[in-house]
Amino acid sequence: MKRNRWLHWVIPVSIKPHTYEVKAALPEHIDVKIITYRKIDDGIEVDYGDIL
């Protein structure tokens, strides 16, 4: 984590669609926390459980 003068702490994250979680054969490795989202009828649903 890096300290930012406007925010107390900055945590690097990557935002991916929920389908990213089921693609176990992906060759990429992302060394940051991942936030996933899912499209729903009236907007999006965001899962940031790994961040807390």
Side-chain angles (χ1 to χ4, degrees):
M1 282 189 279
K2 295 181 181 178
R3 191 151 172 86
N4 182 312
R5 75 179 220 197
W6 294 285
L7 302 173
H8 292 290
W9 295 103
V10 176
I11 302 171
V13 298
S14 180
I15 301 173
K16 301 286 186 188
H18 74 97
T19 54
Y20 180 82
E21 294 176 333
V22 297
K23 296 180 179 177
L26 287 174
E28 74 176 338
H29 172 73
I30 300 175
D31 196 25
V32 297
K33 300 288 186 178
I34 296 177
I35 295 174
T36 57
Y37 67 91
R38 176 188 308 266
K39 292 181 185 178
I40 57 176
D41 290 338
D42 59 345
I44 62 170
E45 178 180 85
V46 178
D47 178 3
Y48 54 89
D50 287 344
I51 304 301
L52 301 177

